[in-house]
Every structure is written in structure tokens, then in C-alpha cells.
Amino acid sequence: MGGTFDPIHVGHVLLALAAMERLPLDRVLFVPAADPPHKDGRTGMAPAADRCAMVELAIAGFPGFALSRLELERPGKSYTVDTLRQLRDAWPGWDLVLIIGDDNVAQLPSWYDPHGILSLCTVVAGSRIAADPERHGPLAGQVRFLDTPVHQISSTAIRLRLRHGQTVRYLVPDPVLEYMRARGLYSAGPAPAMAPAS
Ligand code: ATP
Ligand code: MG
């Protein structure tokens, strides 16, 4: 499961869990993108080290979940097809699955080498937006859709809430909340000493 994870939230974790239980999967790797081709020019992205640390906190101790730094260690842009090739070479004989939210299905044709991606793995899309096959674009027929619970949570909304001083409790795991506060990420500055928990 690739993503910017800026920050990771419970929507990511619950999607991974649903895919793991339903397919089922032996392992889920969370692969933070170093230099996401689709988010060029966005400012204020948290450093990769922080995004990784938050992934680790969110999945700590959960059997089968792991962080992968593959895309951070590879120079240049993060292309999913390269990550899949690396995983295939590292884990020969394993069936690879790319987990995405169904908001990404319509964008698949614009990803680098989508047919390479589809030849290396099964693309599995969990529910994120209202099911409407028309909106899923020309490659939808090659994607396996999983009817998973919809959690209307996004990293964008979390960053916005934090910028406005609103709580994101219950949207991110508590250890991630604490980390963001401690590091002052997304303007989630350290809580004042006697402030009520938010
Ligand atoms: P941003 O708002 O910055 O785009 P995001 O919440 O979409 O962040 P990403 O890191 O872009 O998170 O997403 C990684 C993957 O997780 C994508 O395939 C995306 O579709 C999926 N995903 C993210 N949030 C959800 C959610 N709430 N439910 C299902 N899938 C999700
Ligand atoms: Mg997104």
C-alpha cells in the first residue's frame, strides 16, 4: 500500500486491515512515497522521516503490518511500477497486491506504466467514494474492487483541521497524535501544559 501518509490516518489502517482479512493477505507493507509524481509542487509536506515514524507508530505491534522504506531509499521519483519490480525481485514467488482507495482507480491510466503495474500485481481498490463504475475510468475492468466500509477521512482534511486548531483525535491513532504534537507537525504545536485533552 503506497501513499504519501502525510499523515497516516485510520482510513489507511482500516483499508489495509480490510484487505488483509478479506483477500486474505499475509503481509501489508506501507510504502511512503519519497517524491510523489502526483503531488508535485505541494508545499508543507512533512519530512519523510516524520511520515515514516508516524506509519511505524500507527502499525506498531500489528501482526503482518510493516513499514517499507523502499521508495525513500531509491533515488528519484517514486514510481509504483519500480517498487513492484523491487518487491517481486526481493520476494520471488509471492503474489503481489497493490492496495488503493477507489478514488485512485480513475487516475491509474495516468500513473507511470499502468500496464506494467497491472502485469506485476493485482490492484485491489477499497471503497472511498460512492460506487459509480463510470467514474473509475478505462482500467477499472482490471481492478478488483473490495466493498469495504467507507471512512471519509483524508490526510488533507486532517492537515486542514490541525491548521485551524481543531482536534484530529479519532482520525489518527493516539500515538500519531502525540507525535504530531511533539514535533509541531501541520501546526499541531505542543499542547499548553494545563490544556484539556483535545
Ligand atoms: P491526501 O489527502 O494528502 O491525498 P489521502 O488521505 O488521500 O491523503 P494518501 O496517502 O494519498 O492519503 O493515500 C494512500 C492510499 O490510501 C490511496 O490509495 C488512497 O486512495 C487510500 N486512502 C486514503 N484514505 C482512505 C480512506 N479514508 N479510505 C480508503 N482509502 C483511503
Ligand atoms: Mg490521496
Side-chain angles (χ1 to χ4, degrees):
M1 181 170 175
T4 323
F5 301 118
D6 188 27
I8 191 168
H9 53 69
V10 298
H12 295 126
V13 180
L14 292 173
L15 172 61
L17 183 61
M20 183 179 235
E21 288 179 349
R22 297 266 301 278
L23 290 170
L25 303 172
D26 294 299
R27 298 188 179 192
V28 177
L29 299 180
F30 293 77
V31 189
D35 183 12
H38 291 284
K39 291 189 180 174
D40 278 349
R42 200 179 93 200
T43 54
M45 191 161 140
D50 285 322
R51 293 183 290 114
C52 279
M54 291 187 283
V55 169
E56 283 188 309
L57 288 169
I59 65 177
F62 195 83
F65 282 6
L67 167 75
S68 166
R69 291 191 167 82
L70 272 187
E71 295 194 358
L72 305 175
E73 288 161 357
R74 207 167 61 218
K77 292 206 171 201
S78 295
Y79 291 119
T80 300
V81 72
D82 295 333
T83 304
L84 288 165
R85 274 198 201 101
Q86 256 184 298
L87 288 171
R88 177 202 56 195
D89 294 346
W91 303 76
W94 283 63
D95 290 329
L96 296 176
V97 168
L98 174 66
I99 305 171
I100 60 176
D102 61 9
D103 59 310
N104 277 169
V105 175
Q107 295 157 17
L108 262 186
S110 71
W111 289 18
Y112 184 70
D113 193 7
H115 295 286
I117 293 175
L118 287 161
S119 71
L120 284 157
C121 71
T122 305
V123 178
V124 167
S127 308
R128 189 169 193 190
I129 53 178
D132 177 0
E134 301 265 298
R135 285 163 61 178
H136 291 316
L139 294 179
Q142 295 175 67
V143 170
R144 176 167 172 194
F145 287 87
L146 263 196
D147 188 13
T148 55
V150 173
H151 307 287
Q152 290 209 341
I153 303 171
S154 69
S155 302
T156 300
I158 287 170
R159 293 190 303 270
L160 266 176
R161 288 185 63 84
L162 289 169
R163 209 169 302 140
H164 291 115
Q166 296 170 298
T167 184
V168 296
R169 177 156 281 176
Y170 308 122
L171 301 178
V172 301
D174 283 346
V176 173
L177 190 73
E178 296 307 323
Y179 185 91
M180 292 191 299
R181 272 199 191 136
R183 299 271 302 148
L185 294 177
Y186 319 109
S187 309
M194 294 305 288
S198 60

